[in-house]
Amino acid sequence: MEIVVIGGSGHIGSFLVPRLVRAGHEVINISRGSHRTYVDAPEWQHVRQVAADREHEDREGTFGDRVAALGADVVVDLVCFTLESATALVERLRGEVGHLLHCGSIWRYGPSRKLPISEGSDAAAPPFGEYGVQKNRIAGMLKEETASGGLVTTSLHPGHIVGPGWHPIGPLGNLDPAVWFTLSAGQPLRIPGSGTEMMHHVHADDVAQAFEKALEHRDAAAGEDFNIVAPTALSVRGYAEIAAGWFGQTAKLETVAWEDFRRTTTPELGESTWAHLSRSHCFSIEKAKSLLGYSPRYQPEQAVLESVEWLVDHEQLRVAGPLAVRAGEPSHG
């Protein structure tokens, strides 16, 4: 098949595009052309590159025309963030392509009510924040589009994506690199709330696997939405304890009130921590496993360790001592 990947140079695309080439597909990557892929792979030599500024072309009303003109069988949209943008693409591609796959987010769900959270259940409150609200609206629009006999669509909703080449969401639910020095030095780490709040990570290659399987099982994926996460989720306390152990340390955790935590960090980091921990997400992947054959290779701590190891090895993360544990071959969860 000929497949267009929109935003294929990012976290997911760095793994998805080589997978598609290895599977024998012809791949066209649409990106701004300003970012190298996170992982080098020889398969990129066989990928046609198209440079485009989606935001600008969306404003001009020409982006859908650009995608449609490529004449692909399948379009994978990894960088769509508003209902308006998603709707414009669907309307232009209706009758032009056989399958549109959209990358959503687990933030389409609000705070958890019951765990794990399954698609279409009442296990989570409505989403909050513009990003999550828009992703949820897009997923609903795509489902309705396919149900009404229009374009065949599928939405996949990854957790907190981790992998080599970028900082993972850390035990405090933010991107503060200082947490890794604190844990690696065996110093006390202040955590807000109870420490039992959950975060659900996923390795970028497992997300890529899910997209590839949704392409392979088009009929089963048609009109569906899927949670795409690791087999298990991490609590704040468990995450910190596991991470400290990578450096041969025992986590020293101090529980503090949210007000105290916010006073000792920046507004941006405090808001990120609240956004992640107040949702306290843990998801079921049974639907993706049964309909698509999704089988994530990485447990969440394995995925995060691979990311941290890469950052340490490339001197992009300051830690107090060497890793006592190194990322090995991932195992099935």
Side-chain angles (χ1 to χ4, degrees), residues 191-199 234-237 258 276-278 280-281:
I191 59 173
S194 67
T196 60
E197 295 84 358
M198 308 293 290
M199 288 171 280
L234 293 166
S235 70
V236 171
R237 185 173 297 278
W258 274 100
H276 285 86
L277 303 193
S278 65
S280 195
H281 281 163

Side-chain angles (χ1 to χ4, degrees), residues 141-154:
M141 179 273 293
L142 294 175
K143 186 178 284 286
E144 291 175 7
E145 169 70 17
T146 304
S148 65
L151 183 64
V152 173
T153 70
T154 304

Side-chain angles (χ1 to χ4, degrees), residues 93-113:
L93 296 184
R94 189 182 295 133
E96 298 282 344
V97 301
H99 195 183
L100 171 67
L101 295 96
H102 169 83
C103 184
S105 167
I106 57 170
W107 279 17
R108 68 172 296 197
Y109 301 96
S112 60
R113 291 170 170 166

Side-chain angles (χ1 to χ4, degrees), residues 301-321:
E301 64 271 24
Q302 293 172 318
V304 175
L305 175 56
E306 185 177 289
S307 176
V308 169
E309 182 178 309
W310 188 96
L311 293 168
V312 171
D313 289 348
H314 289 78
E315 299 182 346
Q316 294 187 26
L317 185 65
R318 179 173 173 259
V319 292

Side-chain angles (χ1 to χ4, degrees), residues 81-233:
F81 306 105
T82 68
L83 178 61
E84 181 181 16
S85 178
T87 301
L89 186 62
V90 164
E91 291 178 347
R92 182 61 184 85
L93 296 184
R94 189 182 295 133
E96 298 282 344
V97 301
H99 195 183
L100 171 67
L101 295 96
H102 169 83
C103 184
S105 167
I106 57 170
W107 279 17
R108 68 172 296 197
Y109 301 96
S112 60
R113 291 170 170 166
K114 298 185 291 184
L115 300 175
I117 299 167
S118 299
E119 301 89 339
S121 73
D122 63 351
F128 65 89
E130 188 64 13
Y131 177 77
V133 168
Q134 289 290 330
K135 285 296 189 182
N136 190 50
R137 288 175 176 170
I138 293 169
M141 179 273 293
L142 294 175
K143 186 178 284 286
E144 291 175 7
E145 169 70 17
T146 304
S148 65
L151 183 64
V152 173
T153 70
T154 304
S155 64
L156 296 94
H157 299 271
H160 310 308
I161 301 173
V162 291
W166 66 94
H167 285 261
I169 294 295
L172 294 181
N174 61 37
L175 294 173
D176 185 1
V179 67
W180 300 105
F181 184 89
T182 298
L183 291 170
S184 67
Q187 296 174 353
L189 179 68
R190 293 161 58 89
I191 59 173
S194 67
T196 60
E197 295 84 358
M198 308 293 290
M199 288 171 280
H200 215 149
H201 293 72
V202 62
H203 194 285
D205 189 51
D206 282 334
V207 181
Q209 176 207 139
F211 272 93
E212 185 176 15
K213 288 186 176 296
L215 288 167
E216 294 171 352
H217 302 283
R218 174 182 178 272
D219 291 346
E224 299 292 348
D225 52 352
F226 298 95
N227 300 330
I228 304 299
V229 290
T232 58

